[in-house]
Amino acid sequence: MAVASLDPCPRPDDPLQGLEQALCRVVDALERREIPYLVVGGLASSVYGRPRFTTDIDVLVRPEDALRALEALGGDGFETEETDPHWIYKARWNGIVVDVLFALKGGIYLDDAMLRRSTLSLFRGCAVRVVPPEDLVVTKAIAHDEPSLHHWHDALGVLARRQLDWGYLLERGRTGARRLLSLLVYAQAEDLVVPDWVVRRLTDAVYPPAPAER
């Protein structure tokens, strides 16, 4: 498991100090109870791509662990709410919001492949497990919509700055092949390094060649 540094866009008044404290509390609460998790969202985007300011924490857990994760945070002093039983719970501590996610858009869930490929990252001395960059690109491509343009911004930052396992990316992007294809074609148009064979493979998946006319 690789080790990266996580330090998104500090500000002069250093609001990240509160984020750091909350993140460490989240990690400690989950790891003490042996609940598998991965950091996703803005913090993960800052690990792999362009640093950007964020004031909340997104963690992905398995659906069967979601309620236990929320209870773990509640037991460690967080205010908690069962926001939506289909995909998200929330916790709050000292003004920091923690999104406890257990389903992502496109039917994506935390699984063993994500955990195996996760990155151990340091946020000011707090060690956290971060979603693999390929999975982050896929989730960002699928989550993108007009009100949330930052998702493509985040994904393009990852494509610009990381060496990816393209075979794994294609495997993970099967459920959102059309959206992933659109992102990668745009990335090529912006002169980012995306292999042509990856785009061709996705194109064939989205637009299968028509049978030859007889």
Side-chain angles (χ1 to χ4, degrees), residues 12-193:
D13 56 352
D14 196 19
L16 292 181
Q17 183 175 2
L19 189 71
E20 171 197 0
Q21 293 171 347
L23 180 61
C24 289
R25 291 175 70 96
V26 170
V27 170
D28 181 65
L30 298 179
E31 291 189 347
R32 278 192 289 110
R33 294 161 177 89
E34 299 184 345
I35 300 173
Y37 77 93
L38 292 177
V39 170
V40 296
L43 289 179
S45 299
S46 293
V47 171
Y48 299 128
R50 304 181 183 97
R52 72 170 174 85
F53 183 71
T54 184
T55 57
D56 63 1
I57 298 167
D58 298 314
V59 293
L60 180 64
V61 300
R62 290 188 172 110
E64 61 267 28
D65 291 330
L67 189 56
R68 194 160 65 96
L70 192 68
E71 292 171 348
L73 295 178
D76 279 24
F78 288 78
E79 298 178 8
T80 63
E81 66 177 42
E82 297 180 31
T83 314
D84 187 321
H86 296 101
W87 71 286
I88 186 173
Y89 296 149
K90 287 184 178 287
R92 295 174 177 83
W93 180 82
N94 200 24
I96 301 296
V97 176
V98 181
D99 289 339
V100 180
L101 304 163
F102 44 97
L104 301 179
K105 189 174 180 179
I108 297 174
Y109 301 92
L110 178 61
D111 60 21
D112 291 341
M114 287 187 194
L115 291 170
R116 283 194 306 269
R117 289 173 170 263
S118 62
T119 300
L120 184 63
S121 301
L122 298 177
F123 182 79
R124 299 185 173 190
C126 181
V128 300
R129 297 182 184 276
V130 183
V131 66
E134 297 86 2
D135 288 286
L136 183 62
V137 168
V138 170
T139 60
K140 290 291 184 177
I142 293 175
H144 173 80
D145 57 20
E146 189 172 350
S148 304
L149 299 178
H150 66 277
H151 289 308
W152 260 34
H153 174 84
D154 290 343
L156 291 169
V158 178
L159 292 169
R161 299 191 176 203
R162 302 292 295 193
Q163 290 187 347
L164 301 180
D165 182 333
W166 296 106
Y168 179 69
L169 178 72
L170 287 172
E171 177 187 344
R172 304 301 279 184
R174 284 179 298 180
T175 58
R178 192 179 299 270
R179 283 178 169 263
L180 182 58
L181 174 62
S182 63
L183 171 69
L184 297 185
V185 169
Y186 181 81
Q188 283 191 329
E190 290 293 302
D191 296 325
L192 300 182
V193 178

